[in-house]
Amino acid sequence: MAGRLLKVSSLATAVFASSGFYLYNRQLDLNDLSVIRFGRAAFTTALISYDYLTAFKHVEYGTEEYWALKSKVHRRSAERLRDLCCANRGTFIKVGQHLGALDYLLPEEYTSTLKVLHSRAPQSSMEEIKQVIREDLGKELSELFVSFEEKPRGAASLAQVHKAVLHDGRTVAVKVQHPKVQRQSSKDIVVMEVLLKTVHLLFPDFAFMWLVEEAKKNMPLELDFINEGHNAERVAKMLAHFPFLKVPIIHWNLCTKRILTMEFAEGGQVNDRDYMKKHGINVNEISENLGKMYSEMIFVHGFVHCDPHPGNVLVAKCPQSKKTEIVLLDHGLYQVLQPDFRLDYCRLWQALIKGDMPGMERYSRRLGAGDLYPLFACVLTARSWTAVNAGISSVPVTHAEDVEIRTNASLYLPQISELLNRVPRQMLLLLKTNDLLRGIETTLQTRASSSSFINMSRCCIRAMARHKRSKTQSKRRRLQITLSEHLNLWKLTMYELFLWVKGSTAARWLIALLSVLH
């Protein structure tokens, strides 16, 4: 028996030693092993689940002690989730960033903690970058570029960007994918799917499977830089009538699925008020132009850039014209809206702006919200039910309302989860886009502006008129539709002019003078 045990232990030692020698020679990062990544994710999930299952056993629901404890559990769970994303990197950071953007769908403890993931993205070494370029373009770095900055200008969860100069003197930005992401992403999504299903069994109210479904569908698109280049060219052509928009030109001879070379663009992040002040950029103009751009994408064309976080939207003054520009980057993720969905979404927003409650209910139900249509309206607009009832364009946003919405988000988390599982998949990325844009407006302190609703209304009117014209063969009917469209747009312009006059200094003086005379 002892001899047999000695043989087995000797064999085990030999296996472990040879495995260790193999891993050492290959310089394999343990973090690349699926078993390590899965084990880390499973342990974190178990820890968070155990915390929620046991923390509230001896606390009465609804008391001050209960809410204080719940906030602490949210905070430490969010920190564990953040640490997991930083450790596993790649797809985990991407999903964590998505969660961090859902300001009005998740408790504040989660969103504020996960927001830091935008600055915690991994960096590939210069050797890894050279290797990807060598494999994909078949040439050494020096053969392709006169200079190539080793320190990346920006690092994201899937890739990093380096500034370089071509042999003809043009300055370019070279986006290079992290070498391990492609291989790991599909396995990571399976891990997330298994763990989220397990959590759903423990907590039936937790229904965030839509996150995995979206990652499964969108990750292959985001990892294909050829697709990103085509998206960039399509949106540049589609929005060419906006002189303030700049989309970097793609250098196709230096592009592959893992490398995207484009025109280099300078600028500050769209939420950087100090940068705008320093460079004489009007914050309100930026906010209004951003709203115009996205309203056009969503309501008129149904082709929507779905990742407008501040690092992907730059602002700058054009050196030649001295006009303010918005530079749109990272075109990997676009949502193509189905025509029926887009038109119902148009009608819903028109109802929300006007305070048309029957219309709001009708189109919310058509978009899959069912009996949860009041919650859907609040989630979509990030406004209270009182503001929705009054018409969101007529009631200004207040700090108290924002606090109320954040509080209700944690109270209604099960219903929000159910709602997100009900609505069409297209709606999920639109909600994420809305939240990111709203976050920018909040930072710029322009959320109370009525210009965004006016621009949305303008695009909705144009979209509906275009749809009606496409459905009729009668020239007379087409003329009627066009005249009605122009009349409605003129009314909006007059209303906008009225608001401008009302808010001007001259108007305030006149009102003060009249009150004194009276």
Side-chain angles (χ1 to χ4, degrees):
M1 181 70 180
R4 192 179 298 171
L5 189 61
L6 183 63
K7 285 181 182 177
V8 170
S9 60
S10 301
L11 181 62
T13 304
V15 168
F16 278 115
S18 58
S19 298
F21 183 72
Y22 172 75
L23 292 175
Y24 176 79
N25 275 346
R26 288 198 60 186
Q27 294 184 323
L28 191 67
D29 185 352
L30 288 177
N31 192 55
D32 296 341
L33 297 176
S34 297
V35 67
I36 298 291
R37 299 168 69 79
F38 175 78
R40 191 183 285 137
F43 178 73
T44 303
T45 305
L47 207 58
I48 292 172
S49 300
Y50 181 77
D51 204 357
Y52 277 103
L53 282 169
T54 59
F56 309 102
K57 279 185 176 180
H58 306 295
V59 182
E60 186 182 345
Y61 176 82
T63 60
E64 281 188 28
E65 186 186 358
Y66 174 87
W67 295 119
L69 179 60
K70 191 166 190 178
S71 177
K72 287 179 182 175
V73 175
H74 282 334
R75 180 73 63 189
R76 61 178 177 250
S77 298
E79 287 169 356
R80 286 165 181 157
L81 195 57
R82 177 202 61 203
D83 294 343
L84 168 65
C85 293
C86 290
N88 275 7
R89 298 175 298 191
T91 310
F92 280 83
I93 284 187
K94 191 73 182 175
V95 172
Q97 288 172 346
H98 189 159
L99 287 170
L102 301 177
D103 280 305
Y104 298 93
L105 305 182
L106 288 177
E108 185 274 338
E109 292 86 353
Y110 275 91
T111 55
S112 62
T113 303
L114 294 175
K115 268 183 171 56
V116 302
L117 290 174
H118 284 294
S119 58
R120 295 277 189 92
Q123 281 190 24
S124 294
S125 67
M126 197 57 202
E127 276 310 309
E128 289 174 317
I129 295 298
K130 286 178 180 177
Q131 185 60 30
V132 172
I133 290 172
R134 199 178 295 122
E135 288 172 5
D136 284 30
L137 296 174
K139 291 183 179 179
E140 294 297 328
L141 213 60
S142 57
E143 296 177 75
L144 299 168
F145 307 102
V146 174
S147 66
F148 191 96
E149 287 187 1
E150 292 200 8
K151 187 180 178 183
R153 284 297 178 110
S157 53
L158 306 181
Q160 62 193 52
V161 178
H162 293 260
K163 185 179 179 181
V165 178
L166 299 175
H167 285 284
D168 61 10
R170 286 178 295 176
T171 306
V172 292
V174 186
K175 183 176 179 178
V176 185
Q177 200 172 107
H178 299 308
K180 299 163 189 173
V181 169
Q182 194 84 243
R183 186 176 66 252
Q184 291 171 346
S185 63
S186 56
K187 295 173 186 174
D188 287 345
I189 290 168
V190 171
V191 167
M192 289 179 199
E193 192 168 17
V194 169
L195 294 175
L196 282 176
K197 281 180 178 175
T198 306
V199 171
H200 183 55
L201 289 173
L202 291 170
F203 305 94
D205 288 341
F206 181 91
F208 273 71
M209 285 309 297
W210 56 272
L211 262 177
V212 175
E213 289 169 25
E214 285 305 294
K216 200 184 292 186
K217 185 180 78 177
N218 294 319
M219 197 56 67
L221 296 174
E222 291 194 75
L223 290 171
D224 182 358
F225 290 174
I226 296 294
N227 171 65
E228 181 175 341
H230 288 311
N231 285 344
E233 290 191 335
R234 179 175 171 181
V235 82
K237 186 178 179 182
M238 189 176 87
L239 302 181
H241 57 287
F242 287 141
F244 59 80
L245 175 64
K246 180 180 178 62
V247 178
I249 296 164
I250 307 298
H251 295 270
W252 285 111
N253 61 316
L254 294 172
C255 293
T256 69
K257 274 196 162 192
R258 296 194 296 171
I259 299 168
L260 185 68
T261 306
M262 67 203 104
E263 176 187 6
F264 184 81
E266 296 274 13
Q269 290 193 1
V270 71
N271 63 346
D272 190 343
R273 286 177 63 90
D274 292 336
Y275 177 91
M276 293 190 209
K277 188 177 179 180
K278 184 181 175 183
H279 291 83
I281 295 171
N282 188 314
V283 172
N284 291 314
E285 183 188 346
I286 291 296
S287 186
E288 185 176 347
N289 286 343
L290 200 59
K292 279 182 186 176
M293 200 167 83
Y294 269 88
S295 293
E296 185 89 8
M297 282 192 236
I298 293 168
F299 299 113
V300 180
H301 298 283
F303 185 66
V304 191
H305 180 282
C306 283
D307 202 8
H309 74 74
N312 290 339
V313 186
L314 305 181
V315 292
K317 277 248 173 137
C318 178
Q320 288 77 35
S321 66
K322 301 298 179 187
K323 289 184 178 177
T324 303
E325 291 180 336
I326 293 177
V327 185
L328 194 61
L329 305 172
D330 200 342
H331 301 271
L333 187 57
Y334 272 76
Q335 180 69 56
V336 180
L337 306 181
Q338 297 302 317
D340 289 344
F341 173 91
R342 177 172 57 84
L343 293 167
D344 281 339
Y345 193 62
C346 271
R347 295 179 184 115
L348 172 59
W349 269 105
Q350 284 180 307
L352 288 165
I353 290 167
K354 293 175 186 174
D356 171 13
M357 300 311 288
M360 186 274 294
E361 180 182 350
R362 184 185 315 121
Y363 296 113
S364 292
R365 287 183 181 276
R366 283 177 65 163
L367 288 167
D371 294 334
L372 292 172
Y373 67 87
L375 179 64
F376 181 54
C378 294
V379 165
L380 191 60
T381 60
R383 302 298 303 272
S384 66
W385 182 238
T386 305
V388 170
N389 268 284
I392 55 174
S393 62
S394 58
V395 182
V397 181
T398 63
H399 176 67
E401 186 185 9
D402 275 345
V403 171
E404 179 190 341
I405 289 163
R406 282 194 177 280
T407 305
N408 288 341
S410 59
L411 291 175
Y412 292 102
L413 195 57
Q415 291 88 339
I416 290 172
S417 296
E418 184 187 344
L419 175 67
L420 295 178
N421 277 290
R422 278 189 192 185
V423 296
R425 298 299 93 189
Q426 302 176 84
M427 182 59 74
L428 299 176
L429 280 178
L430 281 184
L431 288 171
K432 174 195 171 186
T433 305
N434 283 347
D435 274 336
L436 286 166
L437 290 172
R438 231 174 259 127
I440 291 169
E441 286 180 347
T442 301
T443 307
L444 297 181
Q445 297 172 13
T446 57
R447 270 202 72 202
S449 171
S450 60
S451 63
S452 60
F453 294 123
I454 290 169
N455 288 324
M456 286 170 74
S457 297
R458 201 171 268 131
C459 286
C460 288
I461 289 166
R462 287 171 49 215
M464 294 307 301
R466 178 190 283 188
H467 170 68
K468 288 174 184 175
R469 277 194 295 269
S470 71
K471 292 294 180 182
T472 182
Q473 298 298 318
S474 166
K475 287 185 179 179
R476 183 183 172 187
R477 177 67 185 137
R478 281 186 178 182
L479 181 62
Q480 285 177 336
I481 293 165
T482 302
L483 288 173
S484 175
E485 176 189 7
H486 286 301
L487 178 62
N488 287 326
L489 290 172
W490 179 79
K491 284 179 182 176
L492 268 180
T493 303
M494 290 299 101
Y495 178 61
E496 192 172 25
L497 182 63
F498 164 74
L499 291 176
W500 179 79
V501 170
K502 185 181 174 185
S504 67
T505 307
R508 286 197 295 272
W509 284 353
L510 183 61
I511 291 166
L513 179 63
L514 287 172
S515 65
V516 168
L517 291 173
H518 181 69

